[in-house]
Each structure stands twice: as C-alpha cells, then as structure tokens.
Amino acid sequence: MGTRAKSAVLSALIALVLALAWHIGTLPKGPQAAGVDPEYAKLMGLDKPKGDGLPTLAEVGATAWKQVSDPFYDAGSNDKGIGIQLAYSLGRVGLGFVLAALVAIPLGFVIGLSPVAHGALNPFIQVLKPISPLAWMPLALYTIKDSTTSSIFVIFICSIWPMLINTAHGVASVRRDWLNVARTLEAGTVRTAFQVILPAAAPTILTGMRISMGIAWLVIVAAEMLVGNLGVGYFVWNEWNNLSLSNVIFAIALIGVVGMLLDLAFGWAQRAVTYAE
Amino acid sequence: MSAAFLQVRGLAKRFAPGAAPVFDNVSFALERGEFVCVIGHSGCGKTTILNILAGLDAASGGEVIMDGREVAGPSLDRGVVFQGHALMPWLTVRRNIAFAVKSRWPDWGREKIDAHCQKYIDLVRLTGNEDKKPSALSGGMKQRVGIARAFAIQPKMLLLDEPFGALDALTRGAIQEELTAICAETRQTVFMITHDVDEAILLADKILLMTNGPRARIAEIVVNTLPRARTRHDVHHHPHYYRIRNHLVDFLVHRSKLLQAGEAEAASNDDGPRVVMPGLDAAEEAAEPRAPLLKQVK
C-alpha cells in the first residue's frame, strides 16, 4: 500500500472516530428524574431522555442537506439560502482582494526597484501591517457610511500587506543576470517589467496573494458578524441568535471547506508560475 | 590605431572613491573579426572590464570606443554570454532566444522570429530541444543556448565571460570547437574571459595577460602564431603550442605577481602593453627549463 493510500485510510479512520465521538457525546441522556418526586419530574419533563442542546450528527446532517438542497432561497432579509450568503461573502472578499492587488502589486514593484521608495515607505508598512483589520471598522463605517463598502475596505486593508511585502521582496531579489540580459538587449522599462521582472517574481507574488486570501477569508467572517445584513459571518451570528446550533456547525464546516478551496486554487496558480532553475 | 574597431584607452575602475583602483591604465585595441582572450587571476577586474565593454558598468576613468562611437550603456551591438548562462528559467529554449530576437527586430512577426531562432538553435546543435525549459537541459546545453541567444542578435561584437567555466572537460572541448566554427563562419569579433590557458590558445588570435589586482593592468599582448583552423586534437602538436603555453603559464605562476609589485615596469609601458610572439621565439624553449619538464609529465 502506498503512502497516499495509507494516509487516506488513516484520514477516514480519524473522521470515523471523530464522528463516533460526536454521536456518542450528543446522545440524549436517560431520564434524569432519580431522587425527584415523579409528579414533579413529569411536570418538568425530566422523565424523558434529553440532550444537552448540542445537535447530534444526524441533526447537523439533516440541516446541511436542507441547506445544500436549496441554497438560493430568499425568504426575506433575515432568511436567505446559504448559497446567497456565500456569494455575498465571496463577492466582498473578491472585490477587496482585487482592489488590494491593484494597489499592492504596482506599489510593491516600486518599492522593490527603488531603495529610496523602500526606505520611505517601510516605516508606514511596519506600523500599519500589525493593525487588526477590524480595528479600522469604526473609522470605515464613519467615513464610508455604508456597511458593505466598509467590509470591502476591511478586506482591502488586510489583504494589501502580504501582497505588498512579497511583491517588493520578489522584485528586489530578481537575479541580476536576468536584468543584465534585458539591459544588453535594450529591452525597454515596460518590457523588462512585464517579461522579466514579473515572471521572475511571480512565485513570490503568488505566495503573498495566497497568504492575503487566507487572511481575507478569516477576516470576512468577523467583519460580517460586526456589520450584519448578509454573508456567511452574519449567517453564523444570526443562527446563534436563533439558537440553531446545527446551522452554526454547518456554517463553520462550510467556511472551512470554502477556505480550503480558495487556498487550493491559489496553490494551483502558484505552481503554474513557479519555475525550476 | 585609429582604424581599430574597438579601442580601449586608459580604462580604470575603483569601487570606492579614493580607494586603490582594481585596474588602472588598461589600453588595448581589437580589429574587426579578431578573437581576443583575457587571462588573469581572480580579482584583477576581468569581468569588470567586460561589463564596461558591455555597457553594464561604468568606468572610473578612460574610454571605450567601438566602431567610431563611445560606449555609454548597453547596446544590441554587443552580445553578451554570461558566466552563469543567465537564461530565463520560465521560458523555453526557443522563447529565450526569441526574447533577444524580438528586442533586435521588434517589427518581425512571430513566424519570422521563430525561423530566425531555429537557425541559431540548429547552429549550436540543439535541434529537437526547442521547447524544453532550461531546467531540463544539461550545463553544456544551457551555455549553448546562451551562445545562440548572443549570436542571434547578430551583434558587432561578442563578449563572453568565462562561458565554459562550469562545464566538464569533454563538454567544454565540444563547445569550444563549435564556437571556433561559428566564429570562423560569421567572422565575429569576440572578447572572451577565460581561466583556461589551453582554451585561450585554441580560440584566440591575441591573448591579453593581466597582472594581479589591485592596480591591475594589461602587461602583455601575446599574439597567437598558431595557424587558424585549429582543432583540439592536433593543436598541441604544433611547435608553437608549448612555447605559447609555457609563456602563459609562466606569466600566471610568476610574472603576474612580480609585475604587480614592480611599479617601474608599469610606468614604462604607459603607451600600451608590450606585444610578444612567444610562438616564434625558438630561443625561449632552450632557455626555459620548465618546457621539457612539462612534456615529460605529459
């Protein structure tokens, strides 16, 4: 049996054990009426088996099936299908991310190519980078006065740093030889930037984009919990308010799966631009 | 002198102001179609001279004039083969060369560029490897691509920076012969740096000998009196071969150091280095005790 097959079997086993543990952990307990007056127990419902409120595996499975089989239903502002919520979240992340890339990659080029620009901008980057993106939220809400745009801004501000830093690093460490080749061939600035520096730095830039996307997906859930109205983050908070824990668990799993798929997509893109020396 | 294709006069380079120059007062000239090799120890500034000729580096003093124009910045007139081949690893062999061709003739269509590339890929005998990435090629093949790229832009002069330094002896021999053939065919003017005395004798018309740095300079210009159309197999049978070889080895082992120390001799040849023809100097063989020794060892 190959390593992969062994790993797959082990993974399946771990999943099975976890599912079993969940199932047993959430089984309804027997009548809790020991030592209590039977009439009182009956009155309080203590004579029947009762769970502790955490949904069982089967309940979550049923909820998931219900959600997945009708993902785009729209029954008013507080009751939309998970597909719609997901689409809103992905849309905000995508927009904020693309805007960040449009700023970070050209700016990263400038910083990477010019030591003066690097020296001038580095202090700002170092101070702004460690700020939790959610800390910007009140300021964004006050100035932008729109919750959706504010959450896009928060995604923008959190995705910009890894992309900026990686682009600058990638551009600055392009091999001198390749630049010299371009110079001796009298390749212009634009041609050198797009045909030499960009492909040379692409793996590093893509790594930055992958990190950014990971952070953006983490942040969007929190941002939507804060600003409300739509998205998976809001869905989680709304279902918590509804005390529908099986929906919460389903949403948590979904956020994980979508995050993994995004990461896989960037991993694939990264491999596509990576070159062997 | 004024008719020379490439004139280098009083070239100097210091990396920090006030520091001793790496080399100083370097003057020489190249005729069109000449193959010149530079030999000297590491640190004497050979690569810096090549970079100045390429226009990639600026001299601290002196001037370089090629074909009646001063060299100021890189130009398509001078093709460079870099020490570490410097191929772009994300491009195939064909696209690496096409990048250069497209630079030279921006108006050419894709078909014309590809046909031109193919000609030079065939020339360096890499036919069938057009669509491979450099990572799939051996060291010798990569260096051939580098040579094809430099030749493909049909420069007025070719600058080679120890192009075969990283190759094994057999591969090196094969590419040296290809290079000789291509140069003979295209009458290319070549300036090449090497550490390999035999390589210099095989390829060069003239060999510039540099003293050690700092304050390195060209001590001698050795004229290679071996007839052209040399091959690796028979070049060492020619009577001039060991005379020239011994002269070069002797320079590298002893005189490069002595000349660096002896400032007196440096002052004496301000108007250009001494031109010597050890190949014609039959007396040197008799006077040189190392020559027979070397033959015995061999």
Side-chain angles (χ1 to χ4, degrees):
Chain A
M1 196 156 58
T3 314
R4 276 183 90 115
K6 277 184 198 165
S7 303
V9 169
L10 200 58
S11 282
L13 230 73
I14 292 170
L16 206 69
V17 168
L18 288 176
L20 207 68
W22 182 2
H23 179 71
I24 293 169
T26 52
L27 273 182
K29 312 280 184 297
Q32 305 158 344
V36 183
D37 177 33
E39 212 159 321
Y40 177 72
K42 200 171 181 181
L43 194 70
M44 297 301 287
L46 293 177
D47 59 335
K48 295 204 181 70
K50 190 176 175 298
D52 55 6
L54 275 179
T56 63
L57 188 56
E59 278 167 6
V60 173
T63 309
W65 176 246
K66 206 177 115 215
Q67 292 284 6
V68 170
S69 55
D70 185 15
F72 297 109
Y73 76 88
D74 187 350
S77 62
N78 269 346
D79 191 9
K80 293 192 201 311
I82 191 71
I84 295 177
Q85 311 281 18
L86 204 57
Y88 270 99
S89 293
L90 284 172
R92 287 166 177 169
V93 165
L95 201 58
F97 181 82
V98 166
L99 289 173
L102 287 178
V103 174
I105 292 172
L107 196 61
F109 254 74
V110 173
I111 294 173
L113 290 175
S114 152
V116 176
H118 178 264
L121 294 174
N122 198 40
F124 296 100
I125 296 172
Q126 295 308 328
V127 170
L128 293 173
K129 189 181 64 162
I131 298 172
S132 165
L134 292 171
W136 293 99
M137 191 57 104
L139 209 57
L141 285 170
Y142 180 77
T143 45
I144 302 172
K145 296 185 174 62
D146 177 72
S147 62
T148 302
T149 319
S150 296
S151 50
I152 292 171
F153 170 78
V154 166
I155 295 303
F156 167 84
I157 205 81
C158 77
S159 354
I160 201 165
W161 310 116
M163 278 196 267
L164 184 65
I165 290 163
N166 269 45
T167 305
H169 175 70
V171 168
S173 41
V174 171
R175 282 221 346 235
R176 191 95 235 134
D177 271 0
W178 300 331
L179 296 175
N180 280 344
V181 167
R183 285 178 65 198
T184 56
L185 292 172
E186 292 186 54
T189 315
V190 175
R191 193 153 174 258
T192 305
F194 280 97
Q195 293 188 21
V196 181
I197 299 173
L198 189 62
T204 322
I205 297 175
L206 250 297
T207 306
M209 293 175 88
R210 194 176 179 179
I211 297 169
S212 283
M213 182 47 89
I215 295 175
W217 190 242
L218 290 179
V219 167
I220 191 66
V221 174
E224 284 169 346
M225 284 182 176
L226 222 62
V227 297
N229 76 41
L230 273 169
V232 277
Y234 171 70
F235 179 83
V236 170
W237 203 248
N238 197 31
E239 294 305 323
W240 159 239
N241 287 335
N242 295 341
L243 267 182
S244 169
L245 286 181
S246 56
N247 267 326
V248 170
I249 292 171
F250 165 69
I252 289 172
L254 189 72
I255 291 167
V257 169
V258 171
M260 183 187 75
L261 291 177
L262 286 172
D263 191 62
L264 278 179
F266 275 90
W268 177 82
Q270 209 178 356
R271 270 194 298 283
V273 297
T274 298
Y275 47 84
E277 276 198 51
Chain B
M1 186 82 181
S2 61
F5 171 67
L6 177 85
Q7 298 166 55
V8 177
R9 290 198 212 111
L11 215 57
K13 178 75 183 178
R14 40 175 73 78
F15 284 107
V22 186
F23 55 82
D24 203 354
N25 198 19
V26 166
S27 305
F28 60 92
L30 257 78
E31 296 300 333
R32 205 182 284 272
E34 235 176 2
F35 198 125
V36 169
C37 278
V38 185
I39 291 189
H41 286 285
S42 302
C44 71
K46 301 186 298 285
T47 298
T48 313
I49 292 181
L50 185 131
N51 282 344
I52 293 170
L53 295 187
L56 292 170
D57 206 341
S60 314
E63 56 180 3
V64 179
I65 292 165
M66 190 183 85
D67 210 10
R69 268 199 243 142
E70 178 154 24
V71 168
S75 155
L76 283 159
D77 288 340
R78 291 177 299 279
V80 186
V81 177
F82 293 88
Q83 205 164 358
H85 64 76
L87 299 179
M88 307 198 189
W90 56 89
L91 296 176
T92 61
V93 167
R94 195 202 311 272
R95 302 259 63 87
N96 259 294
I97 300 173
F99 182 82
V101 175
K102 182 87 188 158
S103 308
R104 186 80 166 97
W105 296 283
D107 309 332
W108 282 14
R110 189 168 178 125
E111 262 173 46
K112 198 167 180 189
I113 289 177
D114 281 355
H116 189 83
C117 292
Q118 193 61 50
K119 201 171 100 191
Y120 285 89
I121 291 169
D122 296 345
L123 193 69
V124 295
R125 295 201 281 147
L126 280 176
T127 318
N129 297 293
E130 294 85 353
D131 296 316
K132 285 187 184 157
K133 296 269 175 74
S135 55
L137 302 178
S138 68
M141 289 158 100
K142 282 183 210 167
Q143 204 49 270
R144 282 190 191 143
V145 180
I147 292 170
R149 177 172 64 184
F151 270 95
I153 60 169
Q154 298 175 347
K156 289 183 183 164
M157 183 168 68
L158 208 57
L159 304 166
L160 299 113
D161 186 1
E162 267 184 74
F164 313 129
L167 304 183
D168 64 276
L170 278 174
T171 316
R172 194 187 309 163
I175 305 186
Q176 280 166 355
E177 267 176 20
E178 280 166 34
L179 186 65
T180 331
I182 299 170
C183 289
E185 197 183 311
T186 54
R187 295 289 297 144
Q188 186 64 254
T189 313
V190 184
F191 179 90
M192 173 167 149
I193 294 173
T194 179
H195 270 129
D196 184 342
V197 170
D198 297 296
E199 181 171 271
I201 301 174
L202 181 69
L203 297 171
D205 298 312
K206 278 191 212 159
I207 300 158
L208 309 183
L209 297 178
M210 286 192 75
T211 64
N212 291 2
R215 294 193 160 275
R217 63 199 167 77
I218 293 174
E220 276 180 13
I221 297 178
V222 177
V223 178
N224 192 348
T225 43
L226 286 168
R228 262 286 162 208
R230 305 159 198 154
T231 67
R232 264 184 307 144
H233 307 290
D234 56 25
V235 69
H236 54 278
H237 294 310
H238 196 276
H240 291 185
Y241 184 81
Y242 275 101
R243 291 181 201 156
I244 299 173
R245 192 180 195 283
N246 290 339
H247 185 89
L248 299 182
V249 172
D250 188 45
F251 177 86
L252 285 176
V253 176
H254 300 288
R255 292 200 294 128
S256 58
K257 256 175 280 172
L258 295 176
L259 284 173
Q260 185 196 12
E263 294 289 326
E265 205 175 338
S268 73
N269 59 8
D270 264 353
D271 42 301
R274 197 151 57 101
V275 179
V276 293
M277 297 188 184
L280 299 178
D281 188 5
E284 186 165 340
E285 195 164 12
E288 181 59 73
R290 257 176 296 276
L293 254 175
L294 270 169
K295 274 179 185 163
Q296 275 168 20
V297 168
K298 189 181 170 290

